[in-house]
Amino acid sequence: MKSRSLSFARSAVLFLGLIWATGALAAGSPLTLGEAVLLALKENPGLKATGLNVPAAEAQVARARARFLPQISFFESFLNSDNPAQVFTQKLNQRQFTAQDFFLDNLNNPAPYSNWRTGLVARQPIFQAGEAYLGYQQARLRKDIASFQVVTHRQQLLYRVHQAYFGRQLAEARLKVVQEAKKTAAANRKLVQARFNTGAVVRADLLSADV
């Protein structure tokens, strides 16, 4: 879990640096915190990938719910045959058998018989020993988990963006302090050098100013 967190932190920092640079080049000024947050929420690939789990989980919920609903099937078939057994069976099933069909010649050598069969079948689950209900509950839990993962990923992203944003501002402030200290030290060195040249201070004071 630590390695994933560190990896996420690095990616967030790098991503913020990239969008900061892009915004600075395009607009001529650094991004504001609000702009950085909006851009991160819109363009972060990890957040997009996590968000895709939600519609997939919703589809699983719909699929699990469908197990409670009736199923209707429609079928149609066509048979043309002069096979004695098939002709005999088809005519008998359809109650089209006549006395002439009992003649030996008709039984052994029937004329080709065509048959269309159309059917509509409806199935309604009545008892499934709780299997469908448990599957539906599991699908709902997976959907809730997917939604919570999106919220968690978004909150982590916002935290990393804020951390990187204010970290950059703090680094800039520290840089300014160092630059001002450098200017102060240079001015002090110049002053000590002038006083050393006039003999007002000893060389040790000049070496201290150099340090």
Side-chain angles (χ1 to χ4, degrees), residues 53 57 60-61 135 137-147:
N53 294 331
Q60 291 296 327
V61 172
Q137 293 298 324
Q138 289 176 353
R140 290 186 59 184
L141 288 175
R142 284 193 289 267
K143 175 181 174 296
D144 292 340
I145 291 174
S147 300

Side-chain angles (χ1 to χ4, degrees), residues 48-154:
K48 289 182 179 180
T50 306
L52 294 177
N53 294 331
V54 176
E58 291 175 345
Q60 291 296 327
V61 172
R63 182 179 179 180
R65 189 187 299 116
R67 297 188 62 182
F68 299 102
L69 304 177
Q71 297 181 1
I72 299 177
S73 303
F74 173 82
F75 67 90
E76 190 171 44
S77 63
F78 172 74
L79 175 66
N80 180 272
S81 175
D82 59 356
N83 183 281
Q86 289 185 345
V87 173
F88 183 89
T89 303
Q90 293 295 331
K91 284 188 175 182
L92 189 63
N93 288 340
Q94 296 184 358
R95 295 179 175 83
Q96 295 183 4
F97 218 82
T98 63
Q100 294 180 352
D101 292 319
F102 282 105
F103 295 155
L104 292 179
D105 186 59
N106 291 338
L107 286 174
N108 293 326
N109 300 290
Y113 184 76
S114 298
N115 180 41
W116 284 93
R117 185 184 179 191
T118 302
L120 189 66
V121 179
R123 295 184 178 90
Q124 173 62 55
I126 297 178
F127 178 73
Q128 298 177 336
E131 179 185 356
Y133 178 76
L134 290 177
Y136 176 66
Q137 293 298 324
Q138 289 176 353
R140 290 186 59 184
L141 288 175
R142 284 193 289 267
K143 175 181 174 296
D144 292 340
I145 291 174
S147 300
F148 288 141
Q149 286 177 342
V150 172
V151 174
T152 301
H153 198 126
R154 183 184 291 115

